[in-house]
Amino acid sequence: MKRIFFLFFLCCMTTLATFAQEKKTYTLEDVIPGGNNYFNLVPKNIPGLQWWGDVCVRADVENIRSIQLKDGRETILVTLEEVNQAIEKGQKSYQLSHELKPLRSLMSASLPWAERQVIVFQQNSYWVEYDFGQKKITNISRLNEKAANLDFCTTNGKVAYTVGNGLFVTDEGEESHQINPSQTEEGVVYGQAVHRNEFGIYKGTFWSPKGSYLAFYRMDQSMVTDYPQVNTSTRIATLEPDKYPMAGMTSHKVTVGVYNVKTGKVTYLQAGDPTDRYFTNISWSPDEQHIYVIELNRDQNHAQLVCYQAATGEREGVLYEEKNPKYVEPQHPLVFLPWDESKFIYQSQRDGFNHLYLMDTKAKGESAWKNGKLEGSTYLEHLKVTPLTQGDWLVQDILGFNAGKKEIIIGSTEISPLQTNLFSLNVKTGKRTLLGEKDGMHRASLSESGTYLIDNFSSFHVGREITLLPTNGKKRTTLLKADDPMASQFKLPEITIGTFKAADGKTDLYYRLIKPVDFDPNKKYPAIIYVYGGPHAQLIHNTRFYDARGWDLYMAQKGYVMLTVDSRGSDNRGQAFENCTFRHLGVEEMKDQVKGAEFLKSLSYVDGERIGVHGWSFGGFMTTNLMLTYPDIFKVGVAGGPVIDWKFYEVMYGERYMDTPQSNPEGYKGSDLKQKAGNLKGRLEIIIGGTDPTCVPQHSYSFLRACIEAGTHPDFFVYPEDGHNMMGRDRVHLHEHITRYFEDHLK
């Protein structure tokens, strides 16, 4: 009897254990940003990690802690309670005109001075400095309640910020100085990013190294056409126009001003007529005497590095020039060597890949044009130039310097175009030494002396690993090893990567293939290609799920084969790989995506009659184009925020890759999808944000009109008041909607 009971008990326990090990299915709430459970299912992170000189610190909600480099032990430096006590005292002693409310978290605080025990943070309309050695507020600067684009200068303690189109700098106490004229200048913007954030531009103010000057952009848009965006959330819809210079039309004019902090005087660089010119990558010399600007013509095929006198704005001369019959695209400001202020690093793609070049301001170059390795590239060196890196790979980032060893710390694709790896680069010998793991993607920040990195690393096999990594190659300290919580809770699909040849028959293209969950090789599955295909984007990396999005995994769970191909025209493979699409966007990229469709058809488990395609932005353009150009291959498509006609796209990006409609009418006609509206055979849905400032609604509206006239029937969905991308709950709804469309028409 006891034996029978024991066997029964053992059987029950085995059944319970088996049940407990069964993995769940995931929902869009689990895998889409904005979903209720999304952040619980990404690998753990350590937010708030930063450097305080050479001390690693972690700012969380309640505390700021220092972390020992050798063993990871933590010590509390600052508590939220003591900061709020100091705020309460400071409120009284500073006699503030507006209430300074208690902080709720220390996560946004930073420690900008290695030699001072001070944190800085923004609270309500104030910029606050708190000395945790003295446990008191040491400075409070009043900001406008509508302050944006804050730029804090660590050397003078002042904050530059914008309010509307105006530019301000904090003075003593609660006063701020307005740099631009106080009277309204219609259509003129100060202190903000210009040229629609192309050329690596992400801000509009640039403090000099010692804080004596503030360089800033002034953008006159008064001559630019208004695009009539409409806000439908008001009782009567309200016109809220965007300044939007379309390809071939009048663009804005940019000048660079210099504000003298001591005198309050503003001087403008004497660059000449700014019409049809781009002013990019503003840099300061270490002694604050000179400003450097990389200037381009509107054709974007001739770049000049120009030096100006900071105090007078006088143009001193051109230091370096580069030309290419297709385009030159500078994206990085100069970086001076901390141990030799006469030399700086310039980044260029003149040899086909982005590399580093050391330029010497005290030595003349050869005043003769030379040919670069990139086809058609020529350059002129007015000063001495020494290549620091070379090869069929590219430098992605300069993290900083180890001045003691005269090394640059860089991130590059040298190991694989699917990765970012960290290296130290000896400036004298050119020797590169790998730092950290050879595998995966590394995002890192460098300590002040350049002797340690905070390395945040992940790969297909590693959820996340954060280490304190010495740049001398010695033993690292691991702060976090995190598994992927989805792997332990859910049944995931098989994900593989590989290569096949592009349509040119010689170039290797990377692909990512996701098989359905519970894959059965004897079944025939529908397939979807998720596509982007355009410049400055790469969809496949050696990271979690090989960069597959949550929606790709979700569709694999629903029984779809998912394929992504980084076609020619996409990022991190060099200029020739990217610019082969010049003046004819979509043509070569589509040929490569068709190779992807052919690859799918070669798989015994894919139903070649049920292939769909989905993409957003450039990917929306590709999706629509593929549905219209290859209607017998692609049965269903969902195109988000698509470019339909490149004449409707903005000047800077559009003309770089297509030239102007006036100079390239054939190319614009060939990529105008309205011309192909009659080719639609399958089911195509267009989805847009109702006030999209990037791919303006006119693209999709004009396509609908063309389809009406051609007698074809696409579907259309709008997210009112949303921009180019849907965020939060709208993003979950969007992917529910896309899923339903494929379920209804492809499955």
Side-chain angles (χ1 to χ4, degrees):
M1 188 70 178
K2 289 181 179 179
R3 177 179 175 82
I4 293 173
F5 177 78
F6 174 75
L7 290 174
F8 174 74
F9 174 77
L10 185 63
C11 180
C12 290
M13 292 300 293
T14 303
T15 302
L16 287 171
T18 301
F19 180 78
Q21 291 174 2
E22 287 184 1
K23 294 185 177 180
K24 303 177 291 183
T25 59
Y26 39 87
T27 69
L28 289 175
E29 297 287 351
D30 298 320
V31 297
I32 299 297
N36 291 330
N37 201 35
Y38 174 78
F39 287 106
N40 295 323
L41 293 173
V42 296
K44 287 183 180 178
N45 201 353
I46 305 178
L49 280 179
Q50 57 185 283
W51 289 108
W52 174 31
D54 281 336
V55 179
C56 180
V57 299
R58 176 168 67 90
D60 60 23
V61 174
E62 296 289 340
N63 304 289
I64 297 177
R65 301 167 182 261
S66 65
I67 301 175
Q68 289 289 332
L69 297 176
K70 297 295 177 64
D71 56 20
R73 287 185 301 172
E74 297 186 354
T75 303
I76 293 177
L77 298 175
V78 189
T79 69
L80 181 64
E81 181 181 7
E82 69 185 52
V83 173
N84 282 333
Q85 288 174 353
I87 286 176
E88 186 177 354
K89 293 178 182 177
Q91 177 84 26
K92 298 174 182 177
S93 61
Y94 277 84
Q95 296 181 334
L96 302 178
S97 58
H98 289 68
E99 183 181 2
L100 182 58
K101 295 181 179 178
L103 273 180
R104 295 183 178 180
S105 169
L106 290 172
M107 291 187 69
S108 63
S110 62
L111 295 88
W113 298 289
E115 69 282 0
R116 295 172 58 190
Q117 294 181 312
V118 174
I119 65 170
V120 298
F121 54 88
Q122 183 185 2
Q123 179 67 341
N124 304 122
S125 302
Y126 291 99
W127 186 263
V128 183
E129 297 176 15
Y130 169 72
D131 188 316
F132 56 87
Q134 302 181 58
K135 296 189 183 302
K136 69 176 185 178
I137 302 294
T138 53
N139 188 40
I140 298 179
S141 299
R142 175 92 164 99
L143 309 175
N144 187 286
E145 293 179 356
K146 297 181 180 179
N149 302 301
L150 273 63
D151 189 357
F152 175 57
C153 180
T154 59
T155 51
N156 66 19
K158 295 182 181 295
V159 181
Y161 63 92
T162 63
V163 178
N165 291 341
L167 175 61
F168 298 78
V169 171
T170 55
D171 284 336
E172 297 298 325
E174 296 197 53
E175 298 298 321
S176 289
H177 178 75
Q178 185 170 357
I179 291 177
N180 62 295
S182 57
Q183 67 271 22
T184 302
E185 295 178 282
E186 189 67 31
V188 180
V189 179
Y190 288 81
Q192 298 185 35
V194 299
H195 304 323
R196 296 191 66 82
N197 298 81
E198 297 294 331
F199 314 109
I201 298 169
Y202 66 94
K203 64 174 191 163
T205 53
F206 310 88
W207 285 106
S208 63
K210 301 174 184 177
S212 303
Y213 300 97
L214 177 72
F216 61 90
Y217 279 127
R218 177 186 184 273
M219 177 171 59
D220 185 353
Q221 300 185 104
S222 59
M223 69 292 294
V224 177
T225 304
D226 287 338
Y227 185 86
Q229 300 281 17
V230 177
N231 179 358
T232 59
S233 66
T234 56
R235 174 65 179 85
I236 296 178
T238 308
L239 185 65
E240 297 179 357
D242 289 330
K243 290 290 185 181
Y244 196 92
M246 290 186 177
M249 299 178 69
T250 302
S251 185
H252 57 238
K253 297 180 182 181
V254 169
T255 48
V256 178
V258 181
Y259 169 70
N260 186 312
V261 173
K262 186 176 181 180
T263 66
K265 181 182 177 182
V266 173
T267 303
Y268 283 89
L269 302 188
Q270 298 171 22
D273 185 0
T275 304
D276 292 338
R277 295 170 67 196
Y278 300 122
F279 298 88
T280 76
N281 298 285
I282 294 173
S283 317
W284 281 95
S285 63
D287 63 6
E288 301 187 315
Q289 299 300 305
H290 301 95
I291 294 179
Y292 303 90
V293 182
I294 305 178
E295 303 176 8
L296 286 94
N297 58 337
R298 180 155 174 174
D299 283 343
Q300 301 183 49
N301 57 15
H302 184 191
Q304 294 181 314
L305 173 60
V306 185
C307 178
Y308 293 90
Q309 281 282 351
T312 65
E314 181 181 351
R315 187 178 191 265
E316 288 200 341
V318 178
L319 305 183
Y320 175 79
E321 299 183 64
E322 195 171 323
K323 294 181 180 180
N324 188 279
K326 293 183 178 179
Y327 51 86
V328 181
E329 189 183 4
Q331 297 183 71
H332 306 277
L334 313 186
V335 182
F336 279 81
L337 300 183
W339 59 87
D340 186 347
E341 295 184 351
S342 67
K343 296 183 178 68
F344 61 81
I345 297 168
Y346 187 92
Q347 300 190 44
S348 170
Q349 300 187 82
R350 73 188 198 188
D351 288 335
F353 294 83
N354 190 63
H355 280 296
L356 307 185
Y357 298 85
L358 186 65
M359 298 193 175
D360 189 340
T361 59
K362 292 185 176 180
K364 290 186 178 181
E366 300 178 25
S367 294
W369 284 93
K370 299 179 182 179
N371 294 323
K373 294 179 183 178
L374 178 66
E375 183 181 0
S377 178
T378 59
Y379 57 90
L380 179 59
E381 300 169 346
H382 297 282
L383 39 65
K384 183 181 177 181
V385 178
T386 305
L388 292 179
T389 58
Q390 294 175 303
D392 292 348
W393 51 272
L394 54 97
V395 176
Q396 297 170 300
D397 192 17
I398 296 176
L399 282 75
F401 298 91
N402 183 335
K405 299 182 71 174
K406 293 183 170 54
E407 291 178 340
I408 312 169
I409 310 301
I410 64 172
S412 81
T413 65
E414 184 171 359
I415 291 176
S416 168
L418 304 185
Q419 298 188 171
T420 297
N421 290 95
L422 308 173
F423 291 84
S424 61
L425 167 66
N426 187 286
V427 172
K428 185 176 181 179
T429 66
K431 180 182 177 182
R432 295 182 299 279
T433 303
L434 177 67
L435 305 174
E437 296 290 341
K438 188 175 182 180
D439 187 35
M441 295 288 291
H442 296 258
R443 295 174 176 86
S445 63
L446 188 66
S447 68
E448 187 173 272
S449 68
T451 53
Y452 268 87
L453 286 156
I454 300 171
D455 178 21
N456 195 323
F457 152 68
S458 67
S459 72
F460 182 72
H461 300 288
V462 177
R464 190 188 310 276
E465 185 170 316
I466 299 177
T467 62
L468 296 176
L469 181 65
T471 56
N472 62 7
K474 293 185 178 180
K475 184 180 178 181
R476 71 196 74 174
T477 301
T478 301
L479 301 182
L480 173 72
K481 279 189 176 181
D483 294 327
D484 188 342
M486 285 196 67
S488 61
Q489 298 183 43
F490 301 104
K491 188 181 294 185
L492 295 173
E494 178 186 339
I495 307 175
T496 56
I497 57 172
T499 63
F500 54 71
K501 293 299 181 184
D504 65 3
K506 58 184 181 181
T507 306
D508 285 332
L509 302 179
Y510 288 95
Y511 71 81
R512 178 184 63 234
L513 182 71
I514 307 177
K515 292 181 180 178
V517 174
D518 294 325
F519 173 70
D520 182 348
N522 298 312
K523 285 185 177 181
K524 287 283 190 180
Y525 294 98
I528 298 172
I529 294 177
Y530 175 66
V531 61
Y532 186 82
H536 296 296
Q538 181 183 1
L539 299 184
I540 305 167
H541 294 92
N542 181 15
T543 185
R544 186 191 191 212
F545 307 134
Y546 290 126
D547 254 9
R549 306 170 314 136
W551 183 77
D552 299 59
L553 305 181
Y554 183 71
M555 295 304 283
Q557 184 177 255
K558 284 190 164 290
Y560 294 84
V561 174
M562 304 296 295
L563 178 71
T564 288
V565 180
D566 277 325
S567 56
R568 288 171 296 153
S570 58
D571 204 14
N572 283 322
R573 297 289 301 278
Q575 272 291 82
F577 187 89
E578 179 187 278
N579 70 22
C580 68
T581 67
F582 182 62
R583 287 171 65 95
H584 298 279
L585 286 179
V587 177
E588 299 302 319
E589 304 96 312
M590 283 196 299
K591 292 177 183 177
D592 289 349
Q593 297 299 326
V594 168
K595 285 293 180 182
E598 292 172 356
F599 169 69
L600 285 172
K601 289 184 177 183
S602 73
L603 302 175
S604 61
Y605 50 85
V606 169
D607 183 349
E609 299 301 314
R610 291 188 293 163
I611 296 179
V613 59
H614 166 51
W616 203 271
S617 193
F618 197 101
F621 162 69
M622 289 288 291
T623 295
T624 309
N625 211 352
L626 287 164
M627 290 291 296
L628 302 176
T629 308
Y630 300 96
D632 295 325
I633 296 177
F634 298 96
K635 182 179 179 182
V636 178
V638 177
V643 175
I644 296 295
D645 185 342
W646 287 98
K647 293 195 301 294
F648 297 158
Y649 204 72
E650 52 92 349
V651 167
M652 295 81 195
Y653 182 103
E655 292 182 4
R656 180 185 310 131
Y657 305 114
M658 289 289 289
D659 281 338
T660 64
Q662 296 90 328
S663 64
N664 184 23
E666 180 184 353
Y668 274 85
K669 182 178 180 181
S671 62
D672 179 358
L673 306 190
K674 301 190 300 297
Q675 306 293 322
K676 304 178 183 180
N679 297 347
L680 182 61
K681 290 184 179 180
R683 297 299 299 259
L684 170 65
E685 181 168 45
I686 307 288
I687 303 176
I688 67 169
T691 55
D692 189 337
T694 305
C695 295
V696 294
Q698 185 174 350
H699 285 278
S700 296
Y701 294 159
S702 65
F703 180 68
L704 294 178
R705 168 49 60 188
C707 288
I708 292 167
E709 294 174 356
T712 53
H713 297 272
D715 296 304
F716 187 58
F717 194 90
V718 179
Y719 283 86
E721 275 60 69
D722 275 358
H724 191 52
N725 294 288
M726 283 76 250
M727 307 303 290
R729 296 303 305 171
D730 283 13
R731 196 168 185 84
V732 178
H733 184 278
L734 167 69
H735 287 91
E736 289 174 344
H737 190 81
I738 296 169
T739 301
R740 289 177 61 176
Y741 199 78
F742 282 110
E743 289 280 271
D744 289 345
H745 303 298
L746 189 63
K747 202 164 189 180

